[in-house]
Amino acid sequence: FVILKTEDGSSWYHVTDQVGEVDILGGTADVDYTRVDGVITILTDTPLTISGNGLTSKERIVIAGGISADLTVKNMEIYTESAPLEISDGSALELTLAGENQLTASDSAGILNRGALTINGSGTLDVQGGYSCAGIETTDGTLVVDSGTIFATGGYNGAGIGGGRGRSGGTITINGGTVTAAGQERAAGIGGGMGGPGGTITINGGTVTALGGYWGAGIGGGGGEPYGNNAGDGGTIEIHGGTVAAAGGSNSGAGIGGGGGSGRGGIYGGVAGNGGSITITGGTVQASANRGAGIGGGGNTTDSPAADLCGAGGVITITGGVVQASSEKGAGIGGGIGGSDFSVGASGGTIAVSGGTVTAASGRGDVGIGGGTPGADSGTFSTGENGNAVISATAISDQSGKDSWSGIFFEG
């Protein structure tokens, strides 16, 4: 049998005797590619186009090791147990999107990338990972998105783009296109799977929407689990352009930064992740969270009142762009919050805002920039000698250097 979707896309159903035979254009069989036992293996750099016929294929595509492949996919729909598209270690793939394409795995990543993957084109790509796997797994590879429309959804505890359970986000660069990535349960939208750090994530352009699972960051670290992994730190995140909307999971992940925690630490695990290194120089950025910071550390859902179970802000630098960062209970920019009564918060970290238009708010009316709660370690806040930012914040908790602040400020 093969697996097909209903017309409204809401569910899968089985149909017998309808095998989707794909067409391969370009190249020479058994020289540039082989087709054996349900696997199309690309062997050379000869440009190929693989197109579907309206039915779901069960043939996987594998890029052999040590080559630079050039592949266009057109109206492809593949459903397999193992990854529908796999890039081997030491290989590079230039993937061009034409038409509407869908890659779904039941027991693996939708795209398993151990090499260097670049995506472009005018088509769409909808990728779904299997249990504990990312939609597009990049832990051991690099991903560059130049154009195209991409929807990537992780399986349970897998990131939309990045790592599967316990794995980091790898190296991800988005230069253009429209990218929507959703993590599941304790995984980031873009970044770490459950318990995995964010990796190295750079956004230079395009329209990016990243949705964390319940405990995952929108962009950054995966969430922790009781009696298991601590949450992942945010990693190294840079935003230089584009339009970015990042929402931490509804429990405790940061919008951009650390994954959320749900444990008491020590042998109980589940400590929230710190923000990592976050730099914003341009673009339009909207980051939101619940217990985690909008930008910074993850929060913690345990009722144990200990600040070190929450994620500190990390190192946050903003020199330009339009930035809106909000948290329902934690800091807009800075530390996450925890405790059953939201009474404890993590340090704000090291925060420098020298340019751009920045709005930072806590839904509780507490800390806009700084520690997770008014009583938490505020961390440090600075603007630099020639700062020219316009900053609106419910409050800035570190006032120690206020005499040297430079810019326009609205507090309260």
Side-chain angles (χ1 to χ4, degrees):
F1 62 86
V2 297
I3 309 296
L4 298 178
K5 270 191 172 181
T6 56
E7 290 186 2
D8 63 2
S10 62
S11 61
W12 297 95
Y13 63 96
H14 296 175
V15 178
T16 58
D17 300 326
Q18 294 192 38
V19 177
E21 181 77 7
V22 300
D23 295 322
I24 303 176
L25 303 177
T28 302
D30 298 323
V31 175
D32 299 302
Y33 64 89
T34 59
R35 194 171 194 172
V36 179
D37 295 332
V39 180
I40 299 169
T41 303
I42 297 177
L43 304 172
T44 71
D45 61 1
T46 299
L48 301 175
T49 297
I50 301 180
S51 58
N53 61 0
L55 298 175
T56 300
S57 173
K58 294 185 70 65
E59 286 186 290
R60 302 174 59 229
I61 302 170
V62 175
I63 310 303
I67 68 167
S68 295
D70 183 344
L71 174 64
T72 298
V73 290
K74 181 177 181 180
N75 297 324
M76 281 289 303
E77 185 171 341
I78 302 176
Y79 182 97
T80 53
E81 292 183 4
S82 300
L85 174 59
E86 180 178 340
I87 298 96
S88 300
D89 183 24
S91 291
L93 171 61
E94 184 87 11
L95 180 66
T96 301
L97 306 178
E100 299 180 359
N101 302 278
Q102 186 173 64
L103 305 177
T104 303
S106 61
D107 297 322
S108 181
I111 296 177
L112 179 56
N113 175 31
R114 298 190 178 99
L117 171 62
T118 300
I119 300 176
N120 57 44
S122 59
T124 64
L125 178 63
D126 188 339
V127 186
Q128 170 71 59
Y131 188 86
S132 290
C133 299
I136 302 175
E137 183 166 320
T138 54
T139 299
D140 299 318
T142 63
L143 170 66
V144 176
V145 179
D146 287 329
S147 57
T149 300
I150 298 170
F151 303 92
T153 305
Y156 186 83
N157 285 328
I161 298 175
R165 176 174 177 152
R167 295 172 66 79
S168 76
T171 301
I172 301 163
T173 302
I174 300 174
N175 297 319
T178 300
V179 178
T180 301
Q184 300 299 309
E185 193 65 11
R186 298 176 187 271
I190 299 176
M194 185 195 76
T200 301
I201 302 166
T202 304
I203 300 174
N204 297 314
T207 300
V208 179
T209 302
L211 308 173
Y214 292 120
W215 284 269
I219 299 174
E225 63 174 336
Y227 302 97
N229 293 326
N230 290 329
D233 293 341
T236 301
I237 302 168
E238 297 185 4
I239 300 174
H240 303 297
T243 300
V244 179
S250 59
N251 282 332
S252 54
I256 299 174
S262 57
R264 299 170 182 267
I267 63 172
Y268 301 105
V271 176
N274 296 328
S277 174
I278 302 169
T279 302
I280 301 174
T281 66
T284 299
V285 179
Q286 185 173 36
S288 60
N290 185 359
R291 293 185 182 223
I295 299 175
N300 199 311
T301 57
T302 183
D303 59 3
S304 180
D308 60 0
L309 300 181
C310 305
V315 179
I316 302 169
T317 305
I318 301 175
T319 64
V322 177
V323 180
Q324 294 180 323
S326 63
S327 174
E328 293 184 24
K329 301 177 179 71
I333 299 174
I337 195 170
S340 59
D341 57 356
F342 314 118
S343 60
V344 296
S347 168
T350 302
I351 304 170
V353 182
S354 61
T357 300
V358 178
T359 302
S362 169
R364 302 189 334 147
D366 292 335
V367 179
I369 299 176
T373 61
D377 177 6
S378 61
T380 63
F381 173 78
S382 64
T383 65
E385 293 183 1
N386 299 310
N388 59 7
V390 178
I391 301 172
S392 300
T394 47
I396 299 175
S397 57
D398 175 28
Q399 300 278 320
S400 62
K402 189 170 184 177
D403 289 346
S404 64
W405 291 357
S406 177
I408 300 173
F409 297 86
F410 301 93
E411 286 189 78

